[in-house]
PDB file of all heavy atoms in Angstrom:
ATOM      1  N   VAL A1171      27.081 -22.822  34.522  1.00 98.00           N
ATOM      2  CA  VAL A1171      28.153 -23.472  33.820  1.00 98.00           C
ATOM      3  C   VAL A1171      28.946 -22.307  33.021  1.00 98.00           C
ATOM      4  O   VAL A1171      30.259 -22.579  32.731  1.00 98.00           O
ATOM      5  CB  VAL A1171      27.732 -24.588  32.799  1.00 98.00           C
ATOM      6  CG1 VAL A1171      27.064 -24.079  31.585  1.00 98.00           C
ATOM      7  CG2 VAL A1171      28.807 -25.558  32.620  1.00 98.00           C
ATOM      8  N   LEU A1172      28.356 -21.253  32.648  1.00 98.00           N
ATOM      9  CA  LEU A1172      29.028 -20.230  31.827  1.00 98.00           C
ATOM     10  C   LEU A1172      29.790 -19.355  32.837  1.00 98.00           C
ATOM     11  O   LEU A1172      30.997 -18.902  32.470  1.00 98.00           O
ATOM     12  CB  LEU A1172      27.978 -19.391  31.076  1.00 98.00           C
ATOM     13  CG  LEU A1172      27.353 -20.064  29.824  1.00 98.00           C
ATOM     14  CD1 LEU A1172      26.215 -19.337  29.346  1.00 98.00           C
ATOM     15  CD2 LEU A1172      28.349 -20.366  28.730  1.00 98.00           C
ATOM     16  N   ARG A1173      29.244 -18.979  33.994  1.00 98.00           N
ATOM     17  CA  ARG A1173      29.826 -17.981  34.865  1.00 98.00           C
ATOM     18  C   ARG A1173      30.600 -18.537  35.989  1.00 98.00           C
ATOM     19  O   ARG A1173      31.472 -17.885  36.551  1.00 98.00           O
ATOM     20  CB  ARG A1173      28.665 -17.084  35.401  1.00 98.00           C
ATOM     21  CG  ARG A1173      27.964 -16.276  34.307  1.00 98.00           C
ATOM     22  CD  ARG A1173      26.932 -15.453  34.817  1.00 98.00           C
ATOM     23  NE  ARG A1173      26.357 -14.584  33.729  1.00 98.00           N
ATOM     24  CZ  ARG A1173      25.433 -13.697  33.940  1.00 98.00           C
ATOM     25  NH1 ARG A1173      24.918 -13.427  35.078  1.00 98.00           N
ATOM     26  NH2 ARG A1173      24.935 -13.034  32.872  1.00 98.00           N
ATOM     27  N   ARG A1174      30.246 -19.769  36.409  1.00 98.00           N
ATOM     28  CA  ARG A1174      31.082 -20.389  37.510  1.00 98.00           C
ATOM     29  C   ARG A1174      31.574 -21.854  37.087  1.00 98.00           C
ATOM     30  O   ARG A1174      31.266 -22.808  37.799  1.00 98.00           O
ATOM     31  CB  ARG A1174      30.320 -20.369  38.700  1.00 98.00           C
ATOM     32  CG  ARG A1174      29.889 -19.076  39.295  1.00 98.00           C
ATOM     33  CD  ARG A1174      31.064 -18.263  39.701  1.00 98.00           C
ATOM     34  NE  ARG A1174      31.960 -18.820  40.652  1.00 98.00           N
ATOM     35  CZ  ARG A1174      31.768 -18.695  41.948  1.00 98.00           C
ATOM     36  NH1 ARG A1174      30.859 -17.980  42.365  1.00 98.00           N
ATOM     37  NH2 ARG A1174      32.693 -19.289  42.738  1.00 98.00           N
ATOM     38  N   PRO A1175      32.425 -21.923  36.231  1.00 98.00           N
ATOM     39  CA  PRO A1175      33.012 -23.220  35.830  1.00 98.00           C
ATOM     40  C   PRO A1175      33.912 -23.729  36.825  1.00 98.00           C
ATOM     41  O   PRO A1175      34.190 -25.000  36.874  1.00 98.00           O
ATOM     42  CB  PRO A1175      33.753 -22.928  34.519  1.00 98.00           C
ATOM     43  CG  PRO A1175      34.090 -21.498  34.519  1.00 98.00           C
ATOM     44  CD  PRO A1175      32.934 -20.830  35.251  1.00 98.00           C
ATOM     45  N   ASP A1176      34.273 -22.874  37.837  1.00 98.00           N
ATOM     46  CA  ASP A1176      35.098 -23.428  38.973  1.00 98.00           C
ATOM     47  C   ASP A1176      34.301 -24.257  39.885  1.00 98.00           C
ATOM     48  O   ASP A1176      34.915 -25.017  40.645  1.00 98.00           O
ATOM     49  CB  ASP A1176      35.725 -22.230  39.726  1.00 98.00           C
ATOM     50  CG  ASP A1176      34.639 -21.232  40.301  1.00 98.00           C
ATOM     51  OD1 ASP A1176      33.694 -20.976  39.440  1.00 98.00           O
ATOM     52  OD2 ASP A1176      34.754 -20.766  41.344  1.00 98.00           O
ATOM     53  N   VAL A1177      32.980 -24.093  39.850  1.00 98.00           N
ATOM     54  CA  VAL A1177      32.113 -24.831  40.763  1.00 98.00           C
ATOM     55  C   VAL A1177      31.389 -26.001  40.032  1.00 98.00           C
ATOM     56  O   VAL A1177      31.252 -27.069  40.435  1.00 98.00           O
ATOM     57  CB  VAL A1177      31.084 -23.894  41.418  1.00 98.00           C
ATOM     58  CG1 VAL A1177      30.107 -24.744  42.351  1.00 98.00           C
ATOM     59  CG2 VAL A1177      31.836 -22.927  42.246  1.00 98.00           C
ATOM     60  N   PHE A1178      30.868 -25.574  38.768  1.00 98.00           N
ATOM     61  CA  PHE A1178      29.975 -26.469  38.069  1.00 98.00           C
ATOM     62  C   PHE A1178      30.685 -27.112  36.899  1.00 98.00           C
ATOM     63  O   PHE A1178      31.336 -26.360  36.055  1.00 98.00           O
ATOM     64  CB  PHE A1178      28.776 -25.715  37.546  1.00 98.00           C
ATOM     65  CG  PHE A1178      27.864 -25.224  38.740  1.00 98.00           C
ATOM     66  CD1 PHE A1178      28.052 -23.894  39.069  1.00 98.00           C
ATOM     67  CD2 PHE A1178      27.031 -26.034  39.288  1.00 98.00           C
ATOM     68  CE1 PHE A1178      27.303 -23.484  40.043  1.00 98.00           C
ATOM     69  CE2 PHE A1178      26.286 -25.474  40.411  1.00 98.00           C
ATOM     70  CZ  PHE A1178      26.448 -24.249  40.771  1.00 98.00           C
ATOM     71  N   HIS A1179      30.673 -28.416  36.778  1.00 98.00           N
ATOM     72  CA  HIS A1179      31.580 -29.113  35.767  1.00 98.00           C
ATOM     73  C   HIS A1179      30.699 -29.627  34.573  1.00 98.00           C
ATOM     74  O   HIS A1179      31.240 -30.136  33.609  1.00 98.00           O
ATOM     75  CB  HIS A1179      32.248 -30.370  36.489  1.00 98.00           C
ATOM     76  CG  HIS A1179      33.024 -29.911  37.639  1.00 98.00           C
ATOM     77  ND1 HIS A1179      32.499 -30.039  38.887  1.00 98.00           N
ATOM     78  CD2 HIS A1179      34.213 -29.307  37.791  1.00 98.00           C
ATOM     79  CE1 HIS A1179      33.462 -29.560  39.857  1.00 98.00           C
ATOM     80  NE2 HIS A1179      34.520 -29.212  39.154  1.00 98.00           N
ATOM     81  N   ALA A1180      29.360 -29.374  34.624  1.00 98.00           N
ATOM     82  CA  ALA A1180      28.510 -29.763  33.579  1.00 98.00           C
ATOM     83  C   ALA A1180      27.178 -29.235  33.815  1.00 98.00           C
ATOM     84  O   ALA A1180      26.761 -29.024  35.003  1.00 98.00           O
ATOM     85  CB  ALA A1180      28.439 -31.293  33.291  1.00 98.00           C
ATOM     86  N   ALA A1181      26.385 -29.022  32.687  1.00 98.00           N
ATOM     87  CA  ALA A1181      24.976 -28.493  32.814  1.00 98.00           C
ATOM     88  C   ALA A1181      24.076 -29.168  31.803  1.00 98.00           C
ATOM     89  O   ALA A1181      24.551 -29.223  30.627  1.00 98.00           O
ATOM     90  CB  ALA A1181      25.018 -26.979  32.770  1.00 98.00           C
ATOM     91  N   ALA A1182      22.800 -29.543  32.152  1.00 98.00           N
ATOM     92  CA  ALA A1182      21.823 -29.873  31.159  1.00 98.00           C
ATOM     93  C   ALA A1182      20.767 -28.823  31.342  1.00 98.00           C
ATOM     94  O   ALA A1182      20.055 -28.776  32.444  1.00 98.00           O
ATOM     95  CB  ALA A1182      21.333 -31.268  31.408  1.00 98.00           C
ATOM     96  N   ALA A1183      20.506 -28.074  30.350  1.00 98.00           N
ATOM     97  CA  ALA A1183      19.628 -26.866  30.464  1.00 98.00           C
ATOM     98  C   ALA A1183      18.531 -26.875  29.363  1.00 98.00           C
ATOM     99  O   ALA A1183      18.860 -26.988  28.270  1.00 98.00           O
ATOM    100  CB  ALA A1183      20.416 -25.628  30.277  1.00 98.00           C
ATOM    101  N   GLY A1184      17.258 -26.867  29.799  1.00 98.00           N
ATOM    102  CA  GLY A1184      16.207 -26.847  28.922  1.00 98.00           C
ATOM    103  C   GLY A1184      15.331 -25.608  29.014  1.00 98.00           C
ATOM    104  O   GLY A1184      14.974 -25.087  30.133  1.00 98.00           O
ATOM    105  N   ALA A1185      14.914 -25.221  27.799  1.00 98.00           N
ATOM    106  CA  ALA A1185      13.879 -24.081  27.706  1.00 98.00           C
ATOM    107  C   ALA A1185      14.222 -22.830  28.510  1.00 98.00           C
ATOM    108  O   ALA A1185      13.348 -22.205  29.105  1.00 98.00           O
ATOM    109  CB  ALA A1185      12.508 -24.514  27.934  1.00 98.00           C
ATOM    110  N   GLY A1186      15.504 -22.415  28.558  1.00 98.00           N
ATOM    111  CA  GLY A1186      15.874 -21.242  29.324  1.00 98.00           C
ATOM    112  C   GLY A1186      15.814 -19.944  28.465  1.00 98.00           C
ATOM    113  O   GLY A1186      15.940 -19.987  27.226  1.00 98.00           O
ATOM    114  N   VAL A1187      15.618 -18.901  29.199  1.00 98.00           N
ATOM    115  CA  VAL A1187      15.583 -17.485  28.572  1.00 98.00           C
ATOM    116  C   VAL A1187      17.074 -17.072  28.552  1.00 98.00           C
ATOM    117  O   VAL A1187      17.609 -16.900  29.703  1.00 98.00           O
ATOM    118  CB  VAL A1187      14.691 -16.560  29.266  1.00 98.00           C
ATOM    119  CG1 VAL A1187      14.798 -15.122  28.665  1.00 98.00           C
ATOM    120  CG2 VAL A1187      13.234 -17.032  29.381  1.00 98.00           C
ATOM    121  N   THR A1188      17.593 -16.815  27.396  1.00 98.00           N
ATOM    122  CA  THR A1188      18.970 -16.440  27.315  1.00 98.00           C
ATOM    123  C   THR A1188      19.074 -14.862  27.007  1.00 98.00           C
ATOM    124  O   THR A1188      20.056 -14.205  27.520  1.00 98.00           O
ATOM    125  CB  THR A1188      19.733 -17.101  26.253  1.00 98.00           C
ATOM    126  OG1 THR A1188      19.036 -16.865  24.953  1.00 98.00           O
ATOM    127  CG2 THR A1188      19.699 -18.670  26.339  1.00 98.00           C
ATOM    128  N   ASP A1189      18.093 -14.335  26.311  1.00 98.00           N
ATOM    129  CA  ASP A1189      18.105 -12.888  26.094  1.00 98.00           C
ATOM    130  C   ASP A1189      16.802 -12.452  26.689  1.00 98.00           C
ATOM    131  O   ASP A1189      15.658 -12.777  26.247  1.00 98.00           O
ATOM    132  CB  ASP A1189      18.022 -12.633  24.529  1.00 98.00           C
ATOM    133  CG  ASP A1189      17.983 -11.155  24.184  1.00 98.00           C
ATOM    134  OD1 ASP A1189      17.710 -10.297  25.093  1.00 98.00           O
ATOM    135  OD2 ASP A1189      18.102 -10.729  23.049  1.00 98.00           O
ATOM    136  N   GLN A1190      16.881 -11.622  27.777  1.00 98.00           N
ATOM    137  CA  GLN A1190      15.677 -11.267  28.522  1.00 98.00           C
ATOM    138  C   GLN A1190      14.723 -10.384  27.770  1.00 98.00           C
ATOM    139  O   GLN A1190      13.548 -10.230  28.215  1.00 98.00           O
ATOM    140  CB  GLN A1190      16.134 -10.530  29.814  1.00 98.00           C
ATOM    141  CG  GLN A1190      17.154 -11.269  30.698  1.00 98.00           C
ATOM    142  CD  GLN A1190      16.805 -12.729  30.875  1.00 98.00           C
ATOM    143  OE1 GLN A1190      15.636 -12.946  31.408  1.00 98.00           O
ATOM    144  NE2 GLN A1190      17.610 -13.677  30.674  1.00 98.00           N
ATOM    145  N   HIS A1191      15.170  -9.767  26.633  1.00 98.00           N
ATOM    146  CA  HIS A1191      14.252  -9.034  25.837  1.00 98.00           C
ATOM    147  C   HIS A1191      13.204  -9.929  25.166  1.00 98.00           C
ATOM    148  O   HIS A1191      12.085  -9.400  24.705  1.00 98.00           O
ATOM    149  CB  HIS A1191      15.014  -8.242  24.747  1.00 98.00           C
ATOM    150  CG  HIS A1191      15.941  -7.101  25.234  1.00 98.00           C
ATOM    151  ND1 HIS A1191      17.178  -7.564  25.693  1.00 98.00           N
ATOM    152  CD2 HIS A1191      15.787  -5.883  25.562  1.00 98.00           C
ATOM    153  CE1 HIS A1191      17.758  -6.402  26.126  1.00 98.00           C
ATOM    154  NE2 HIS A1191      17.003  -5.406  26.032  1.00 98.00           N
ATOM    155  N   LEU A1192      13.419 -11.240  25.154  1.00 97.00           N
ATOM    156  CA  LEU A1192      12.579 -12.083  24.428  1.00 97.00           C
ATOM    157  C   LEU A1192      11.373 -12.617  25.234  1.00 97.00           C
ATOM    158  O   LEU A1192      10.453 -13.215  24.683  1.00 97.00           O
ATOM    159  CB  LEU A1192      13.345 -13.322  23.907  1.00 97.00           C
ATOM    160  CG  LEU A1192      14.365 -13.094  22.815  1.00 97.00           C
ATOM    161  CD1 LEU A1192      15.072 -14.323  22.428  1.00 97.00           C
ATOM    162  CD2 LEU A1192      13.754 -12.533  21.536  1.00 97.00           C
ATOM    163  N   TYR A1193      11.432 -12.279  26.565  1.00 98.00           N
ATOM    164  CA  TYR A1193      10.338 -12.698  27.448  1.00 98.00           C
ATOM    165  C   TYR A1193       9.206 -11.703  27.534  1.00 98.00           C
ATOM    166  O   TYR A1193       9.411 -10.466  27.231  1.00 98.00           O
ATOM    167  CB  TYR A1193      10.810 -13.229  28.793  1.00 98.00           C
ATOM    168  CG  TYR A1193       9.964 -14.246  29.437  1.00 98.00           C
ATOM    169  CD1 TYR A1193       9.671 -15.512  28.740  1.00 98.00           C
ATOM    170  CD2 TYR A1193       9.308 -14.069  30.560  1.00 98.00           C
ATOM    171  CE1 TYR A1193       8.851 -16.431  29.341  1.00 98.00           C
ATOM    172  CE2 TYR A1193       8.534 -15.034  31.180  1.00 98.00           C
ATOM    173  CZ  TYR A1193       8.274 -16.190  30.588  1.00 98.00           C
ATOM    174  OH  TYR A1193       7.528 -17.141  31.150  1.00 98.00           O
ATOM    175  N   ASP A1194       8.092 -11.986  28.163  1.00 97.00           N
ATOM    176  CA  ASP A1194       6.974 -11.125  28.147  1.00 97.00           C
ATOM    177  C   ASP A1194       7.030  -9.927  29.062  1.00 97.00           C
ATOM    178  O   ASP A1194       7.858  -9.913  30.058  1.00 97.00           O
ATOM    179  CB  ASP A1194       5.647 -11.837  28.388  1.00 97.00           C
ATOM    180  CG  ASP A1194       5.400 -12.164  29.851  1.00 97.00           C
ATOM    181  OD1 ASP A1194       5.127 -11.248  30.610  1.00 97.00           O
ATOM    182  OD2 ASP A1194       5.353 -13.315  30.226  1.00 97.00           O
TER     183      ASP A1194
END
């Protein structure tokens, strides 16, 4: 939804990694 709003008109997103430095 952030990068391709021309294709996707809505998003429901749970427990996603947004900053890859935060994962193991």
